[in-house]
Amino acid sequence: MPAKVTDDQIIAAIHKAKGVRVKAANELGLHERSLLARLKRIKAKGHSIPESTYQPGHEVVNKGDYEFTPIPDDDVPIEELIAQRKRKFAHKREHEEASKLIPVRVKLDGPIGILHFGDPHVDDDGCDIEAIERHTALVNKTKGLFAANVGDTTNNWCGRLARLYADQTTSAAQAWRLAEWFVNRCNWLYMIGGNHDLWSGSGDPLKWIAKQQNALYKASEARIALKFLNGTEVRVNARHDHSGSSIWNPAHGPMKAALMGTRDHLYVAGHKHESAYSVLKDAISGITMHACKVASYKIYDRYAKDRGFRDNSLSPCALTTINPALPESHPDLIKVWWEPEEGADYLRYLRSRSK
Ligand SMILES: [Fe+2]
Ligand SMILES: [Fe+2]
């Protein structure tokens, strides 16, 4: 607590603020808790502190035959609550506005690739952990190749679904160890929280694991603008799932988002554990829009088997190469590869050619 703030200054400030502690604290440059501790001590010395803030509701209630003194309210005064809500909204607005399109400056010259990992479900017995090991190693050894994760990193069974831990040989604690291992395998351009991850609520452990790794972690969606050194901008719109489905077209969700939404260059989604791809042209801007769905590393899925879902997986992931030397409207600005090794070879070729 700064020593220079005297009791007299605090008394003057709290009176001036008409008892609103947050206002007085701001004026004095003190933390609200520090101010509260000082106010308690000042009150104990016999000084008068505005009652409305310190102990509201002390007026005697007279009911004729009896009277009583109401107990103090258990919440902060309304002025303080309004001030808190204003601050909360300001933070929320700042976060939401900055999230609408997150600029990512690519410092590497020339073409790049993104390996979009399908739903990992790393703790599931049906997860191909060897493929995860191989693909994360590929990211690390390929110059210009970045990793991205569309969500559902673990099964994270919660609530009544917690009984499903009985059907897998990993415990909840082991699941988080595997998640940490997975996240620390490579750098992530973006990481999305899937529905399984978000079952943890606001205490999502994956958010904290990702934070340790300085990964861009967003719940449900991440829309990023890759800004290349030559001035090209490529917008990637990734969601755990883009709403909408069609039995005739598995790429319907991201296609709908492209045609009826933000008109970005690349749409990627996971969640349904199926691969899909469609390419569209925006008639207004002339850009080519790629609508993709990536499947999952959970290759053997009891739920899918029980429900009779058709195997629609081409690969557990997709690799997209981006050649910023091509104009925005060029249909080959982005290429999609289902076998990451093939895509990495093409990226190496593109990069060698651009030197
Ligand atoms: Fe999901
Ligand atoms: Fe999933």
Side-chain angles (χ1 to χ4, degrees):
M1 185 187 306
K4 59 183 178 186
V5 181
T6 64
D7 286 357
D8 288 342
Q9 284 174 312
I10 289 176
I11 292 165
I14 199 77
H15 276 95
K16 187 178 159 197
K18 295 193 170 61
V20 182
R21 217 159 48 219
V22 66
K23 245 178 165 179
N26 283 344
E27 191 181 316
L28 293 163
L30 291 176
H31 191 275
E32 271 181 76
R33 283 175 192 274
S34 308
L35 179 64
L36 180 63
R38 288 287 298 271
L39 285 172
K40 277 183 180 167
R41 287 206 291 274
I42 292 169
K43 192 162 189 256
K45 289 178 194 169
H47 292 284
S48 144
I49 302 297
E51 288 290 315
S52 64
T53 297
Y54 196 65
Q55 275 189 329
H58 264 241
E59 280 175 31
V60 170
V61 176
N62 192 337
K63 291 282 185 185
D65 290 344
Y66 66 93
E67 64 175 36
F68 65 94
T69 307
I71 58 168
D73 202 286
D74 67 346
D75 207 345
V76 294
I78 185 65
E79 302 91 330
E80 209 168 311
L81 184 58
I82 296 293
Q84 281 173 7
R85 302 314 299 157
K86 283 181 186 170
R87 276 189 304 172
K88 178 68 196 166
F89 179 73
H91 279 290
K92 184 107 191 140
R93 180 167 50 194
E94 208 177 333
H95 172 81
E96 294 296 336
E97 292 301 318
S99 301
K100 280 185 178 169
L101 184 63
I102 304 163
V104 175
R105 289 169 291 280
V106 181
K107 296 199 281 183
L108 197 67
D109 208 4
I112 65 154
I114 308 172
L115 206 171
H116 309 267
F117 284 71
D119 294 22
H121 294 277
V122 277
D123 55 324
D124 197 278
D125 290 354
C127 166
D128 186 352
I129 204 106
E130 188 275 330
I132 287 183
E133 205 170 38
R134 193 157 29 88
H135 294 165
T136 46
L138 181 71
V139 169
N140 290 335
K141 74 177 182 198
T142 309
K143 187 156 190 185
L145 183 59
F146 307 132
N149 174 3
V150 297
D152 283 358
T153 293
T154 67
N155 279 338
N156 194 27
W157 305 122
C158 287
R160 63 186 176 83
L161 292 176
R163 72 184 192 283
L164 294 176
Y165 275 116
D167 293 341
Q168 65 182 54
T169 53
T170 44
S171 65
Q174 286 174 333
W176 291 118
R177 286 180 62 203
L178 286 164
E180 202 167 8
W181 167 85
F182 170 64
V183 172
N184 287 328
R185 290 280 297 169
C186 50
N187 288 324
W188 299 91
L189 182 62
Y190 66 78
M191 284 192 80
I192 292 173
N195 54 315
H196 285 249
D197 307 311
L198 301 182
W199 286 337
S200 294
S202 54
D204 178 6
L206 196 60
K207 186 176 168 182
W208 304 109
I209 294 173
K211 206 168 187 172
Q212 279 172 23
Q213 222 259 7
N214 280 327
L216 175 71
Y217 179 78
K218 293 276 290 105
S220 305
E221 63 172 0
R223 185 170 171 245
I224 59 175
L226 294 168
K227 291 179 182 292
F228 290 88
L229 288 172
N230 67 349
T232 301
E233 179 183 289
V234 173
R235 293 183 299 280
V236 180
N237 189 320
R239 283 188 59 86
H240 185 56
D241 189 27
H242 288 102
S243 69
S245 61
S246 158
I247 57 166
W248 309 115
N249 176 15
H252 178 83
M255 281 173 75
K256 186 179 136 198
L259 287 171
M260 302 179 80
T262 45
R263 309 288 167 107
D264 296 323
H265 302 88
L266 174 62
Y267 290 79
V268 184
H271 186 54
K272 300 265 174 62
H273 297 196
E274 61 184 1
S275 310
Y277 178 50
S278 184
V279 64
L280 304 149
K281 180 172 180 167
D282 176 25
I284 299 163
S285 66
I287 66 164
T288 308
M289 303 183 292
H290 302 259
C292 263
K293 266 162 85 175
V294 283
S296 172
Y297 284 85
K298 184 174 173 175
I299 308 293
Y300 301 108
D301 186 343
R302 202 197 72 176
Y303 179 71
K305 208 173 184 180
D306 289 350
R307 303 291 295 268
F309 293 156
R310 202 161 67 94
D311 178 6
N312 244 357
S313 171
L314 299 172
S315 160
C317 57
L319 190 151
T320 50
T321 48
I322 304 172
N323 185 359
L326 296 175
E328 253 205 320
S329 56
H330 200 290
D332 294 324
L333 170 71
I334 294 172
K335 287 272 191 198
V336 178
W337 304 83
W338 298 104
E339 175 57 69
E341 277 85 3
E342 291 294 319
D345 280 348
Y346 181 68
L347 175 62
R348 271 189 287 272
Y349 160 71
L350 275 186
R351 288 192 61 79
S352 68
R353 205 182 60 173
S354 72
K355 276 176 189 160

